């Protein structure tokens, strides 16, 4: 049986065609579209769209519909196994959505705190520091982070921290960033600092005096230290943009304590702080 709907053919867009065909496909039916001409009714292919968004020119002559002594443009719905290929094409958007949903199940979005727990943030101690020979704004530091050899790290602190104050200083190090070549020096980490909104005042974060180089820093209560997951690899940090996700949520509070939202940045010896910058950004 064929059911006709009087709809002007030249107003049917590909989007409308796809919406109707999607319903029909679920019922094992195909869609045939008539032309305005009484001498031909055509099956049109939905995925060859012309420039103005209309359906393409006819591909195959078929049958026609007639009503009340005059020819009317119509949609005809009938069972047609031959149209399976077009129906499958129409359903491609549905399949794509299903694939995206499946991907989300396999790789669900993580919370900010879960992302922060993937960072390898450690207590460090600057063993040696000097001016970068090729960059006026950079220091080069050798930093003890509890490994066999000190890490070489470049920091843009020349305009903010006097060189003599870096020597033997306890610092906070983000240790699982991918190494970067900074004007000929391979930098393997980042010293974390607080800054005001104008970035005119910058100061290094300070771990407690009794904290030990190499200790991994966490966010939360004292009890959460034992529940720290393993840190992600530098490749994972870069690929998933973990630092970019976490950094906007790092601040100092009104008492100068470094925070991730409501979670304190903590070592076994106490909280990480800024010396004088409150409600400041951390990077």
């Amino acid at each position: 049986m064929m059911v006709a709907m009087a709809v002007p053919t030249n107003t049917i867009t590909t989007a409308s065609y796809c919406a109707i065909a999607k319903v029909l496909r679920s019922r094992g039916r195909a869609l045939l579209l008539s032309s305005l001409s009484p001498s031909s009714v055509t099956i049109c292919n939905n995925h060859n769209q012309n420039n103005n968004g209309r359906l393409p020119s006819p591909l195959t002559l078929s049958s026609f519909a007639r009503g009340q002594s005059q020819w009317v443009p119509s949609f005809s719905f009938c069972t047609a196994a031959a149209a399976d290929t077009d129906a499958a094409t129409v359903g491609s958007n549905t399949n794509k959505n299903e694939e995206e949903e499946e991907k989300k199940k396999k790789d669900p979005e993580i919370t900010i705190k879960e992302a922060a727990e993937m960072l390898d943030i450690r207590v460090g101690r600057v063993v040696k520091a000097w001016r970068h020979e090729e960059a006026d704004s950079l220091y080069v530091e050798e930093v003890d982070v509890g490994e066999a050899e000190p890490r070489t790290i470049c920091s843009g602190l020349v305009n903010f921290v006097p060189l003599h104050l870096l020597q033997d200083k306890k610092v906070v190090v983000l240790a699982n960033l991918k190494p970067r070549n900074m004007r000929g020096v391979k930098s393997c980490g980042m010293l974390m600092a607080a800054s005001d909104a104008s970035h005119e005042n910058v100061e290094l974060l300070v771990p407690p005096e009794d904290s030990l180089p190499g200790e991994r820093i966490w966010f939360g209560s004292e009890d959460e230290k034992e529940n720290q997951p393993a840190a992600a690899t530098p490749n994972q940090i870069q690929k998933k943009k973990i630092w970019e996700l976490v950094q906007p949520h790092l601040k100092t509070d009104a008492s100068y304590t470094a925070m991730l939202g409501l979670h304190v940045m903590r070592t076994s010896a106490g909280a990480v702080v800024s010396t004088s910058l409150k409600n400041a950004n951390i990077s």
Side-chain angles (χ1 to χ4, degrees):
M1 181 181 72
M2 304 184 74
V3 180
M5 292 171 51
V7 181
T9 308
N10 63 356
T11 65
I12 300 302
T13 64
T14 300
S16 300
Y17 180 89
C18 291
I20 297 170
K22 179 180 177 182
V23 175
L24 294 174
R25 180 171 176 263
S26 68
R27 300 178 182 177
R29 295 172 181 269
L31 176 59
L32 288 77
L33 180 63
S34 77
S35 73
L36 290 171
S37 169
S39 61
S40 65
V41 176
T42 59
I43 299 173
C44 289
N45 188 334
N46 70 294
H47 57 270
N48 290 325
Q49 184 178 346
N50 62 20
N51 292 333
N52 64 4
R54 308 300 183 190
L55 284 172
S57 57
L59 298 181
T60 308
L61 293 177
S62 181
S63 60
F64 52 83
R66 185 184 187 115
Q68 299 297 331
S69 300
Q70 61 179 345
W71 298 102
V72 296
S74 65
F75 279 126
S76 298
F77 305 89
C78 65
T79 302
D84 283 349
T85 300
D86 281 345
T89 303
V90 171
S92 62
N93 288 338
T94 301
N95 293 337
K96 183 177 180 180
N97 291 337
E98 291 173 353
E99 289 174 2
E100 290 176 353
E101 289 299 321
E102 188 64 26
K103 183 178 179 181
K104 287 182 180 180
K105 291 179 182 178
K106 292 180 180 179
D107 189 18
E109 294 184 5
I110 60 176
T111 66
I112 299 301
K113 188 167 186 296
E114 288 171 337
E117 289 171 344
M118 298 172 71
L119 299 174
D120 186 6
I121 303 175
R122 303 187 203 175
V123 176
R125 182 179 68 84
V126 178
V127 177
K128 182 180 178 181
W130 63 96
R131 294 283 294 266
H132 195 301
E133 294 180 358
E134 302 296 331
D136 293 339
S137 64
L138 296 179
Y139 288 134
V140 182
E141 304 99 7
E142 289 183 356
V143 185
D144 177 8
V145 290
E147 298 172 337
E149 298 291 336
R151 293 268 189 116
T152 298
I153 296 175
C154 294
S155 303
L157 297 170
V158 169
N159 296 326
F160 307 104
V161 181
L163 182 59
H164 71 276
L165 294 182
L166 278 176
Q167 308 295 343
D168 204 40
K169 184 176 179 61
K170 290 278 184 72
V171 291
V172 175
V173 178
L174 178 52
N176 60 341
L177 295 176
K178 289 194 76 170
R180 295 178 58 193
N181 191 312
M182 301 185 74
R183 302 293 291 272
V185 177
K186 187 177 182 180
S187 180
C188 301
M190 182 178 77
L191 303 189
M192 298 183 69
S195 62
D196 59 16
S198 65
H199 206 70
E200 292 180 356
N201 298 291
V202 177
E203 57 187 39
L204 289 166
L205 292 183
V206 182
E209 186 60 35
D210 294 337
S211 59
L212 299 176
E215 180 183 10
R216 191 169 168 206
I217 294 170
W218 74 97
F219 298 95
S221 66
E222 295 180 3
D223 298 337
E224 291 182 75
K225 174 179 172 60
E226 304 304 323
N227 298 325
Q228 282 183 286
T233 66
N235 282 337
Q236 290 171 328
I237 294 296
Q238 182 182 61
K239 182 178 179 180
K240 296 178 180 292
K241 299 185 182 300
I242 298 300
W243 174 239
E244 292 81 355
L245 179 63
V246 173
Q247 188 276 323
H249 301 273
L250 292 170
K251 310 280 184 182
T252 60
D253 64 10
S255 62
Y256 312 104
T257 302
M259 306 286 291
L260 175 75
L262 299 175
H263 305 286
V264 175
M265 192 176 192
R266 192 182 295 277
T267 73
S268 297
V272 174
V273 300
S274 170
T275 303
S276 64
L277 295 178
K278 59 183 178 181
N279 302 318
N281 300 315
I282 294 174
S283 59

